[in-house]
Amino acid sequence: MSNIRPARKSPLLIGAALAALATSAFAQDDFDISSQVGPDPVLPEPRMSLLPDMKIAEVVGWQEGETPSVAEGLTISLYAKDLVNPRTVHTLPNGDVLVVQGRKPPGKPKSRPKDYIRGWIMSLGSGGGGGPEKDSNLITLLQDSDRDGQVDARSDLLTGLNSPFGVAWIDDTLYVAASDAILAYPYELGQTEITAEPEVLTPLPGGPINHHWTKDLALSPDGRMLYASVGSNSNIAERGLEAEKGRAAIWQVDRETGASKVFASGLRNPNGLTFEPETQTLWAVINERDELGPNLVPDYMTSVVEGGFYGWPWSYYGDHLDARVHPQRPDMVEKAIKPDYALSSHVAPLGMVFTQNSALPEPYDRGAFVGERGSWNRDHFNGYKVSYIAFENGKPNGPKVDVVTDFLLSDKARGRPVGLGIDGTGALLIADDAGNTVWRVAAADGTILPEPIGSDQITAGPREAAAAEEEAGPIEAEEQDADQAEPASTPAQTEIAPAVLPEPDDSATPGQEGE
């Protein structure tokens, strides 16, 4: 009698095979994905099926000597390797670079059978290279003292963090957005280690679900405010609106007091927070919803206005109704703001950086790079590259251009670009979280900046910032402006995403806290 036992994964393999059959049966091979790029994307009719579209690129990593490909006029080199899930890069005023490495928090509950299928399939698309799991959730300092584009010294600045993502620095203070709070550490430029305990500037919505755990961070041009992104806890609020409190939003946080409020909402999973240099307007890239077919809904980049509502969960790309969401809110659909620029469906943008203060050549010197981590939820791959969109007068002006490519080779992913930054020499840095690498893209002629320019670009001096703060007054943690008041029977989105977190209920059972 044979002692060979069936593999434990067999039910999942069967489910994966069924998913593959379902997607192949309804594949939309002839759809032109370029029609979904720009301010007015083509939006086909929604297409729902029993099993969602999935096609996963297995991560194989980079072999010695391999690099992504770059466009003419640029050159690419390895900046740092042997990292563990590098998510974002951030340049300090002295030219030192911080690499934030983070792994998703454990323990997210699975509520539907397809969550188990999806979780196993997506594990194929995670980096790590096999073998024992290495430590992540740390911030590494990279120093290029002679400004030749190569790292001279490397040290781990902070370790043991709770799934960090965004950072900002000002006034000898390093702010770190972990998965559940913004932390403030005393830090002087040039230090290679932080040993002091942090202060909690403000809590952020965290577990136990924490579906979209990445919390990005941006410093306002006057240095007074921090902006933090908080993604939704679901695809379309299927866990209930109570689970979405404080989520699908960008928070504004007073750096001095920690007072916070929702700055903008209806943004399913915002990341890549950055201020456009000419207009000083906040921009972000957004991962939109799934399970409406491979060509819905386009991810996008957009300017973000205070008090703005961008549709999630009731509508997409402005006022396009999502009929799956109940109860319906036609009042919210009517006020949903149409995004500025579509990037195509399911490219998974997580990083964005403007190039006005870079040393990159024309035509890449006045616009934005976007890191497209790549699709898993459509029947043909999309993304897996760094794209460029030219800007004029603070707005996108032109097509999306592929600049850094070949992260995907056939059906295998050598890497997946996430966060982007400009280093102290003016070159583009790319955090590759599957390849565990940071890449550097520079002008082929060797042009560099005369002096480093940090990622946090403060435009007002201390006196101007103090005057602006006095004039503006403190943030009031209000749930709703008077001119946005609505009847009690139809609560405003800011009541679904309140400005402050509820007090924890000590009597709640595990898995119910904060709902």
Side-chain angles (χ1 to χ4, degrees), residues 46-104:
R47 196 206 73 199
M48 289 167 276
S49 59
L50 177 62
L51 293 171
D53 297 281
M54 287 188 190
K55 187 173 184 180
I56 308 298
E58 181 181 359
V59 172
V60 296
W62 299 93
Q63 299 299 313
E64 189 70 28
E66 289 183 339
T67 70
S69 300
V70 293
E72 185 178 356
L74 302 172
T75 183
I76 188 166
S77 60
L78 180 67
Y79 195 70
K81 64 178 182 178
D82 298 326
L83 300 162
V84 186
N85 310 121
R87 308 288 186 170
T88 56
V89 286
H90 191 91
T91 301
L92 298 169
N94 63 350
D96 291 351
V97 172
L98 302 178
V99 183
V100 182
Q101 299 153 81
R103 186 173 285 134
K104 66 180 180 181

Side-chain angles (χ1 to χ4, degrees), residues 187-403:
Y187 176 71
E188 295 183 7
L189 297 179
Q191 282 182 247
T192 58
E193 185 182 14
I194 295 177
T195 57
E197 291 295 316
E199 293 184 4
V200 176
L201 179 64
T202 188
L204 296 173
I209 300 173
N210 217 3
H211 177 62
H212 290 123
W213 60 270
T214 54
K215 309 293 197 295
D216 208 357
L217 208 58
L219 183 68
S220 64
D222 65 4
R224 180 189 172 204
M225 300 293 178
L226 288 167
Y227 293 83
S229 64
V230 183
S232 70
N233 238 346
S234 62
N235 184 35
I236 50 164
E238 64 270 14
R239 290 186 169 96
L241 291 176
E242 283 294 308
E244 303 298 341
K245 285 187 174 180
R247 290 185 168 271
I250 294 174
W251 289 36
Q252 184 188 66
V253 182
D254 189 305
R255 195 170 59 82
E256 294 298 323
T257 67
S260 61
K261 68 176 184 180
V262 168
F263 181 78
S265 60
L267 300 156
R268 179 176 175 267
N269 186 20
N271 280 287
L273 303 189
T274 186
F275 282 85
E276 198 280 323
E278 294 184 9
T279 62
Q280 296 185 8
T281 301
L282 182 64
W283 280 71
V285 289
I286 315 298
N287 285 223
E288 252 291 356
R289 68 201 72 198
D290 302 323
E291 300 177 25
L292 288 176
N295 299 307
L296 282 180
V297 172
D299 298 329
Y300 60 87
M301 60 188 297
T302 193
S303 56
V304 183
V305 298
E306 184 169 7
F309 172 71
Y310 292 82
W312 189 90
W314 293 285
S315 67
Y316 57 87
Y317 223 86
D319 60 0
H320 292 81
L321 178 71
D322 191 332
R324 300 172 297 174
V325 183
H326 294 281
Q328 290 288 310
R329 288 291 303 272
D331 56 319
M332 300 305 294
V333 173
E334 183 179 2
K335 68 173 60 176
I337 297 172
K338 179 183 175 183
D340 286 290
Y341 196 93
L343 299 167
S344 187
S345 292
H346 309 306
V347 297
L350 288 173
M352 178 171 62
V353 66
F354 288 101
T355 62
Q356 281 87 330
N357 292 306
S358 74
L360 296 169
E362 292 184 359
Y364 311 113
D365 60 342
R366 189 168 293 276
F369 283 112
V370 174
E372 301 179 9
R373 190 171 184 264
S375 65
W376 59 268
N377 42 6
R378 64 191 313 275
D379 47 29
H380 286 72
F381 290 123
N382 202 9
Y384 295 92
K385 60 192 175 185
V386 177
S387 301
Y388 177 81
I389 300 97
F391 269 58
E392 185 176 351
N393 299 322
K395 292 290 186 179
N397 179 41
K400 185 177 70 157
V401 179
D402 297 349
V403 178

Side-chain angles (χ1 to χ4, degrees), residues 114-192:
K114 63 184 175 184
D115 292 337
Y116 291 89
I117 298 172
R118 175 184 296 167
W120 178 74
I121 296 176
M122 289 189 69
S123 68
L124 298 175
S126 301
E133 191 171 71
K134 298 179 181 179
D135 288 340
S136 187
N137 295 329
L138 69 156
I139 297 178
T140 298
L141 177 73
L142 305 177
Q143 296 174 298
D144 174 14
S145 56
D146 55 7
R147 308 186 72 237
D148 65 351
Q150 297 183 6
V151 175
D152 305 317
R154 169 174 167 167
S155 53
D156 290 337
L157 193 67
L158 286 167
T159 60
L161 299 171
N162 184 14
S163 300
F165 194 83
V167 292
W169 182 90
I170 187 174
D171 293 341
D172 291 334
T173 303
L174 179 66
Y175 296 94
V176 178
S179 69
D180 58 355
I182 299 176
L183 308 176
Y185 292 87
Y187 176 71
E188 295 183 7
L189 297 179
Q191 282 182 247
T192 58

